[in-house]
Amino acid sequence: MQSNSKDLLGSLPTLSSLLKRDPISMETKVVKAIREKGVNNILKSLESSLRGLGEATLDVLSGLSVGRHVMIMGPVGVGKTTLAEEIASILALDNPPYIEVACHSHMTATELTGDIDIAVALQAGLDHPLAYIPGPLVLSHGKVLIMDEINRLNPYSQASLLQVLQEHYVYIRGFRIRSDFLMIATSNPAEYSGVYELSEALADRMKVVEIQYPDRELLKAILEWKANLTLSHIGVKTPSMLTEVLTNFITLMNQDGIIEVSPSIRASIYALANTMAKAWIERREPALSDLKKEVLANMAHVVRGSFSSEGEKRDYIARKFDEAVTITTRSGRR
Ligand SMILES: Nc1ncnc2c1ncn2[C@@H]1O[C@H](COP(=O)(O)OP(=O)(O)O)[C@@H](O)[C@H]1O
Ligand SMILES: [Mg+2]
């Protein structure tokens, strides 16, 4: 046990080794990876987890291949985080291929850079592996840095990120550590709660790639595919009638001007999966009323729009759901 923890300690970088780092040309690494793998293979690998994001992927890749950081923008649940992770994994610029930070408003600059532990440094010396524990900005040297939901970062942490993007060095109590990485950030539109405005200087350093909510046909295909994948270990499949109703319901909501935030793809996948799992547990066939219940219970709190009360919002959602059922049965009869 003891030798194990000693080995582990030995695998941690020391401050002196970090200070000797060489610069890395990240764009060269990206171009080499794209050449070796081939764009078509990259797109094909991506299709195993995400659909309809080929164009966005090419936009991300073209940014990275000229050394530009990229920010994937779009509403909740359209696949931003998954896309960032998949691209980094497929490129595999290093091992591990990426370092990911789930950004939040209370994140401090030292959480991003890491800091020297004075007590350890005094007792065991500055070069003890535990005297300086590197933060993600230092750990991502040679890799992709995923800053998930970057616009949750407060202005202080944004400033520490900006510094390393500008200078390629992270400053820790006077020590200067080289760090070259390419950042893929994700961000939600400003109408979501708990987000800060990105500083102009930071926003200026990133190429923006926008992801839109998928259109009706694509949405239906994604829901069918992912709901059935979620249910595969149970051995049940969602009837296409349910998927059709849910797709029509979401499309109706998206088209309505009073809706600011519509249900996410993730919430929709789970609404279908939960409906099926409930019916399976009760050993019966799923009904439209089950799906409606799921929608009201699990989607109402996500939806945002100009409603005067929660009650009004629920009534609206119930009404739209019934409308979607009517549309679906009508088109089925034709
Ligand atoms: N275009 C898509 N194709 C397939 N699945 C998708 C797509 N968009 C979203 N999803 C599903 O929704 C889930 C949520 O995606 P996520 O990457 O967390 O979204 P975001 O980061 O935009 O909120 C994913 O796990 C995935 O199953
Ligand atoms: Mg996300």
Side-chain angles (χ1 to χ4, degrees):
M1 187 66 204
Q2 213 180 5
S3 75
N4 266 352
S5 66
K6 257 198 182 142
D7 289 349
L8 261 175
L9 212 57
S11 70
L12 293 174
T14 57
L15 188 57
S16 62
S17 70
L18 293 170
L19 291 170
K20 280 187 224 131
R21 271 182 175 173
D22 290 323
I24 296 176
S25 166
M26 293 304 294
E27 54 270 36
T28 310
K29 272 186 133 182
V30 171
V31 168
K32 186 166 171 265
I34 294 176
R35 270 213 189 101
E36 279 174 8
K37 290 166 212 304
V39 174
N40 286 343
N41 290 331
I42 294 178
L43 291 177
K44 218 194 260 155
S45 304
L46 200 89
E47 284 270 307
S48 63
S49 54
L50 289 170
R51 220 158 268 179
L53 294 178
E55 207 49 49
T57 304
L58 295 180
D59 283 343
V60 173
L61 289 178
S62 61
L64 297 179
S65 57
V66 291
R68 189 133 167 84
H69 306 290
V70 178
M71 175 159 70
I72 306 173
M73 273 177 88
V76 166
V78 290
K80 300 181 298 295
T81 307
T82 315
L83 182 64
E85 292 171 349
E86 285 296 319
I87 291 178
S89 301
I90 296 169
L91 285 178
L93 302 180
D94 205 353
N95 183 23
Y98 62 86
I99 301 287
E100 180 162 347
V101 179
C103 300
H104 61 83
S105 56
H106 287 65
M107 195 156 247
T108 60
T110 47
E111 266 177 81
L112 292 176
T113 60
D115 199 5
I116 287 174
D117 185 325
I118 306 292
V120 177
L122 272 176
Q123 283 210 351
L126 254 179
D127 220 25
H128 189 276
L130 294 180
Y132 167 61
I133 312 256
L137 296 185
V138 172
L139 286 173
S140 49
H141 186 55
K143 309 181 200 303
V144 169
L145 172 67
I146 297 177
M147 294 294 277
D148 197 30
E149 308 210 0
I150 193 173
N151 55 344
R152 291 189 186 279
L153 277 190
N154 59 63
Y156 307 104
S157 305
Q158 284 189 32
S160 72
L161 175 62
L162 179 63
Q163 189 177 34
V164 61
L165 293 185
Q166 276 174 334
E167 303 180 24
H168 300 272
Y169 282 100
V170 178
Y171 293 86
I172 290 120
R173 311 244 171 203
F175 294 104
R176 220 167 70 117
I177 300 177
R178 179 86 195 180
S179 192
D180 295 293
F181 55 78
L182 278 169
M183 176 171 74
I184 307 181
T186 75
S187 83
N188 293 322
E191 62 261 28
Y192 290 88
S193 57
V195 300
Y196 286 92
E197 197 153 323
L198 279 189
S199 75
E200 271 171 35
L202 191 54
D204 191 41
R205 281 184 168 70
M206 295 183 276
K207 167 180 178 170
V208 173
V209 174
E210 267 192 85
I211 300 188
Q212 310 287 350
Y213 208 91
D215 65 20
R216 200 188 162 286
E217 285 315 303
L218 182 58
L219 178 65
K220 186 169 173 240
I222 294 171
L223 294 186
E224 199 138 49
W225 170 36
K226 288 295 172 85
N228 286 338
L229 203 64
T230 310
L231 292 163
S232 60
H233 63 295
I234 304 182
V236 292
K237 276 200 159 165
T238 327
S240 68
M241 165 74 163
L242 290 189
T243 321
E244 184 86 29
V245 168
L246 192 60
T247 309
N248 284 337
F249 164 71
I250 293 168
T251 311
L252 280 175
M253 304 262 288
N254 280 341
Q255 286 165 349
D256 199 329
I258 73 165
I259 296 295
E260 287 152 21
V261 178
S262 34
S264 70
I265 299 176
R266 183 182 10 233
S268 311
I269 294 168
Y270 278 105
L272 284 173
N274 287 347
T275 302
M276 293 307 295
K278 178 97 189 304
W280 173 75
I281 282 177
E282 292 177 352
R283 297 162 176 247
R284 58 177 178 77
E285 289 300 310
L288 276 170
S289 56
D290 298 324
L291 181 61
K292 186 173 181 179
K293 231 161 120 189
E294 278 299 330
V295 164
L296 283 168
N298 287 300
M299 284 185 167
H301 62 286
V302 191
V303 171
R304 228 154 321 129
S306 26
F307 301 106
S308 60
S309 67
E310 277 302 301
E312 193 194 320
K313 181 160 81 178
R314 288 179 73 87
D315 288 347
Y316 167 88
I317 291 175
R319 222 170 37 242
K320 284 286 155 185
F321 188 89
D322 294 340
E323 235 175 272
V325 174
T326 313
I327 295 172
T328 314
T329 36
R330 214 187 287 143
S331 68
R333 259 191 242 120
R334 248 190 274 137

